[in-house]
C-alpha cells in the first residue's frame, strides 16, 4: 500500500537509508534530512523534527536498522565489536526521547525481545541481527499504513451510523487538535485519516442525507502543530477548513449550534476527533495538551442539548499499537514536560513583501518566568464516546460506562 499524501518518513529499502521531513521547517519549507544513527533519531525526536506517536516509533525502529547497517559496513576499526548488549543499551536510550507516546517504547521493546530471544548478550552484531531488525521495522511501517486506511473506513462507518441513528440531516463539521495526519504516521493518519476518508466518501454529492462541510483544526498551543502542520495537510488535500485558536472552541460550537453564521459557515460541529499517544486499559487517553478540555466542552454542550441530533461525539482515533494494556488508568501515565521556551518564545521565518526570510525567535512573554509546559493531558474514559482503531467493532462503552479494550 502506498500513500499519495505527504510523506514524513522515507526509508530506502535497497540502500538502507532513512530521511525524514524536518517538521520544524514546515509549512514554509519541505526539507528532508538524513537520519544515519540512533543518536540522530534521538535528537530528531527530542527536537520535534519528527513527532506524532506512530511516526516517532517508525523513525525509532528504522534508525536502529540504519545504525546497524552503517556499523556492519564501516571500515573504521573503532566501530567494530558492538555486542547485542551494546545495541540494547542504545535502544534503551532512544526509548527515553519521548516518554508519553507508547508506540515508540512498544516497538523498540519488541526489537529488544527479538534480540534477547535469538542472541546471547555478548554476541557481536552481525548480518542476521540486521535482517531481523529490518524485517520487523518494514512490517511495522507497512502495517501502520494499511491500518490507517482501515481506521479511516471504520471511523467513516461509525460517523455514518451515528448520524443515521441521531436522524441528523444536512452539513456537519468536525473539530480536531494537534496533527494526526500523514506527518504524524506512515501516511493517511489517524484522526486526520478519518477526516480524509470522510471528506472523500461523505461529500455533498454522496447521496446521503448528511455530508462533511467543514473542518476546524485547533492551533494547538504551545507548539502549534495544528496551525503549522494540520492546516498544511488540509490545504494540500483541498479539504475546506478554518483555523481557530484553542480558546475559541466553545464559542464556535455554541454559535454554530445556535445556527449563527460564522464566516459564511453554519454546519454544526458534530464530531471532535483526536489522536492518542497512549490509551490505557480503562480507555483513559493521553494526547496533546488541550484534548482533555475539548472532551469537557463536548460533554457540557451535550448535557445542554435536548435534541439528540445536536449531540457531539468525542472520538479517539489510534492504531492498536497505541493501546497499553499494562497500564490500568490514566493516573499512571508519565506526562512529558517540555522546555519553558516553547511558551515564552515563538520561532518562525520573517515574512515581508510576500517573501520568506530568515528564521528568527521572538519573545512573547516576560523573560525568565515560571512556566509549566506539559506536552500531553489525559482525557478520562467517561468523556470519550468511542475509540476507533483498525479493528472492528469500534470500541464503545458498555451500559456501566466501561470500555473493554482487551481484544477485538
Ligand atoms: O507532541 P506531538 O506533536 O508528538 O503530539 C502528537 C499528538 O498528540 C498526536 O495527536 C498523537 O501523537 C497522535 S499522532 C497520530
Amino acid at each position: 500500500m502506498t500513500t499519495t499524501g505527504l510523506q514524513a518518513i522515507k526509508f530506502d529499502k535497497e540502500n538502507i537509508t532513512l530521511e525524514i521531513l524536518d517538521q520544524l521547517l514546515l509549512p514554509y519549507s519541505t526539507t528532508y534530512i538524513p537520519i544515519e544513527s540512533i543518536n540522530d533519531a534521538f535528537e530528531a525526536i527530542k527536537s520535534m523534527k519528527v513527532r506524532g506517536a506512530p511516526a516517532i516509533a517508525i523513525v525509532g525502529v528504522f534508525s536502529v536498522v540504519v545504525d546497524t547497517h552503517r556499523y556492519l559496513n564501516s571500515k573504521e576499526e573503532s566501530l567494530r565489536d558492538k555486542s547485542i548488549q551494546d545495541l540494547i543499551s542504545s535502544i534503551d536510550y532512544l526509548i527515553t526521547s519521548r516518554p508519553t507516546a507508547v508506540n515508540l517504547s512498544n516497538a523498540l521493546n519488541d526489537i529488544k525481545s527479538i534480540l534477547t530471544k535469538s542472541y546471547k548478550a555478548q554476541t557481536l552484531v552481525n548480518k542476521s541481527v540486521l535482517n531481523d531488525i529490518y524485517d520487523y521495522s518494514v512490517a511495522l511501517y507497512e502495517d501502520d499504513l494499511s491500518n490507517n486506511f482501515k481506521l479511516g473506513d471504520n471511523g467513516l462507518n461509525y460517523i455514518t451510523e451515528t448520524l443515521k441513528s441521531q436522524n441528523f440531516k444536512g452539513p456537519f463539521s468536525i473539530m480536531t487538535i494537534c496533527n494526526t495526519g500523514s506527518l504524524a504516521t506512515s501516511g493517511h493518519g489517524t484522526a486526520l485519516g478519518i477526516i480524509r476518508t470522510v471528506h472523500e466518501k461523505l461529500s455533498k454529492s454522496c447521496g446521503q442525507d448528511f455530508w462533511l462541510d467543514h473542518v476546524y483544526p485547533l492551533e494547538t498551543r504551545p507548539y502549534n502543530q495544528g496551525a503549522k502542520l494540520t492546516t498544511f495537510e488540509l490545504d494540500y488535500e483541498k479539504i475546506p477548513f478554518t483555523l481557530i485558536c484553542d480558546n475559541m472552541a466553545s464559542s464556535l460550537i455554541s454559535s454554530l449550534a445556535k445556527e449563527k453564521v460564522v464566516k459564511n459557515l453554519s454546519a454544526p460541529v458534530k464530531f471532535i476527533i483526536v489522536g492518542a499517544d497512549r490509551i490505557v486499559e480503562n480507555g483513559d487517553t493521553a494526547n496533546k495538551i488541550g484534548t482533555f478540555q475539548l472532551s469537557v466542552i463536548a460533554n457540557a454542550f451535550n448535557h445542554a442539548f435536548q435534541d439528540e441530533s445536536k449531540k457531539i461525539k468525542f472520538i479517539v482515533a489510534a492504531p492498536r499499537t497505541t493501546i497499553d494494556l499494562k497500564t490500568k488508568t490514566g493516573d499512571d501515565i508519565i506526562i512529558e514536560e517540555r522546555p519553558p521556551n516553547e511558551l515564552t518564545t515563538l520561532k518562525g521565518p520573517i515574512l515581508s513583501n510576500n517573501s520568506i526570510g530568515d528564521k528568527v525567535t521572538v519573545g512573547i512573554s516576560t523573560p525568565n518566568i515560571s512556566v509549566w509546559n506539559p506536552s500531553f493531558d489525559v482525557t478520562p474514559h467517561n468523556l470519550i464516546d468511542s475509540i476507533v482503531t483498525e479493528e472492528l467493532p469500534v470500541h464503545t462503552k458498555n451500559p456501566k460506562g466501561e470500555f473493554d479494550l482487551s481484544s477485538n
Side-chain angles (χ1 to χ4, degrees), residues 23 45 48 50-56 98 101 103 148 177-181 183-185 189-192 220 223 225 229 274-278 286-289 291 317-319 322 336 338 375-376:
Q23 299 191 26
I45 294 170
M48 309 277 275
V50 60
R51 23 70 45 214
I56 294 168
R98 294 226 58 198
N103 310 54
N148 285 346
I177 186 167
C178 198
N179 172 263
T180 58
L183 297 169
T185 61
T190 57
L192 199 50
T220 320
Y223 214 74
Q225 291 94 329
L229 306 177
V274 302
D277 287 80
R278 190 181 291 251
N287 193 51
K288 180 53 52 196
I289 189 79
T291 303
T322 309
E336 174 189 358
R338 296 195 50 90
S375 198
F376 304 96

Side-chain angles (χ1 to χ4, degrees), residues 44-109:
I45 294 170
K46 195 90 199 157
S47 65
M48 309 277 275
K49 289 187 179 110
V50 60
R51 23 70 45 214
I56 294 168
I58 292 160
V59 169
V61 295
F62 277 150
S63 80
V64 180
V65 177
V66 292
D67 194 292
T68 306
H69 177 257
R70 195 180 58 117
Y71 161 74
L72 289 174
N73 285 283
S74 170
K75 301 270 178 292
E76 287 173 44
E77 281 305 311
S78 61
L79 280 180
R80 300 281 158 196
D81 290 352
K82 187 195 256 190
S83 68
I84 293 291
Q85 190 48 54
D86 296 332
L87 183 56
I88 287 178
S89 303
S90 311
I91 293 173
D92 281 334
Y93 164 70
L94 185 55
I95 289 175
T96 63
S97 57
R98 294 226 58 198
T100 310
V102 74
N103 310 54
L104 177 70
S105 56
N106 275 352
L108 291 175
N109 282 329

Side-chain angles (χ1 to χ4, degrees), residues 257-259 269-270 302 305 307-312:
K258 288 178 187 157
E259 297 173 16
V269 175
K270 287 289 300 155
N302 286 342
F305 293 145
D307 181 351
E308 192 60 23
S309 73
K310 286 199 162 214
K311 298 221 185 238
I312 302 166

Side-chain angles (χ1 to χ4, degrees), residues 92-218:
D92 281 334
Y93 164 70
L94 185 55
I95 289 175
T96 63
S97 57
R98 294 226 58 198
T100 310
V102 74
N103 310 54
L104 177 70
S105 56
N106 275 352
L108 291 175
N109 282 329
D110 282 351
I111 290 190
K112 279 170 59 183
S113 21
I114 292 170
L115 296 176
T116 47
K117 273 191 200 128
S118 312
Y119 306 94
K120 294 208 169 70
Q122 294 320 314
T123 306
L124 293 185
V125 168
N126 54 39
K127 186 81 189 4
S128 140
V129 171
L130 175 62
N131 290 343
D132 289 348
I133 307 169
Y134 175 96
D135 290 346
Y136 174 86
S137 305
V138 170
L140 182 80
Y141 176 81
E142 288 175 355
D143 287 351
D144 187 64
L145 189 55
S146 67
N147 287 342
N148 285 346
F149 283 97
K150 289 184 198 153
L151 195 160
D153 286 339
N154 294 345
L156 167 72
N157 291 335
Y158 174 79
I159 285 173
T160 307
E161 291 313 311
T162 301
L163 293 171
K164 278 187 188 162
S165 72
Q166 292 179 336
N167 204 19
F168 178 89
K169 296 202 188 330
F172 68 92
S173 301
I174 298 177
M175 187 174 276
T176 189
I177 186 167
C178 198
N179 172 263
T180 58
S182 294
L183 297 169
T185 61
S186 53
H188 196 64
T190 57
L192 199 50
I194 296 181
I195 293 172
R196 275 197 166 94
T197 305
V198 171
H199 168 70
E200 189 193 332
K201 308 239 173 89
L202 213 50
S203 62
K204 196 170 181 180
S205 56
C206 71
Q208 295 275 15
D209 291 337
F210 38 76
W211 60 92
L212 175 62
D213 187 65
H214 214 71
V215 178
Y216 293 99
L218 266 61

